[in-house]
Amino acid sequence: MAKTTAAVSPFDVGAAATVISALDSPLRIRLVQELHERDHYVHELVAATGKSQPLVSQHLRVLKKAGIVDSERTGREVLYKLVAPGVLTLLADASALISR
């Protein structure tokens, strides 16, 4: 049986690699899931994940550098929000590839 190949639209390989690299961590994926529900302060993400504040902050910096999340400082606290919700579709599609 011949294998059919779907047409793939042109895309920016560098941008795709940046996003995929930023999502290459179960903790970062969990942070994206949490931020999909609502914006969170760092201390809330620490509580939700059970990880240390420095570790959570480090992973949030990676997501921010990739343009997936953004932050806003309010006094001593930093509020993070998901600014690229399309990554959830990417994650769901990636999960479906393995589940087949």
Side-chain angles (χ1 to χ4, degrees), residues 21 33 47 57 76:
S21 176
Q33 289 176 315
S57 292
R76 293 181 55 156

Side-chain angles (χ1 to χ4, degrees), residues 11-26 28-29 32 59 61-69 82-92 94:
F11 57 89
D12 181 335
V13 173
T18 297
V19 170
I20 290 170
S21 176
L23 295 172
D24 186 23
S25 160
R28 289 195 288 264
I29 292 171
V32 167
H59 283 279
R61 277 191 297 279
V62 171
L63 292 169
K64 185 174 179 179
K65 185 175 178 185
I68 297 169
V69 304
L82 183 64
V83 294
V87 300
L88 293 160
T89 303
L90 176 65
L91 292 168

Side-chain angles (χ1 to χ4, degrees), residues 41-42 64 70-80:
Y41 289 102
V42 175
K64 185 174 179 179
D70 201 3
S71 65
E72 180 180 312
R73 183 170 287 281
T74 306
R76 293 181 55 156
E77 294 190 295
V78 180
L79 182 68
Y80 280 86

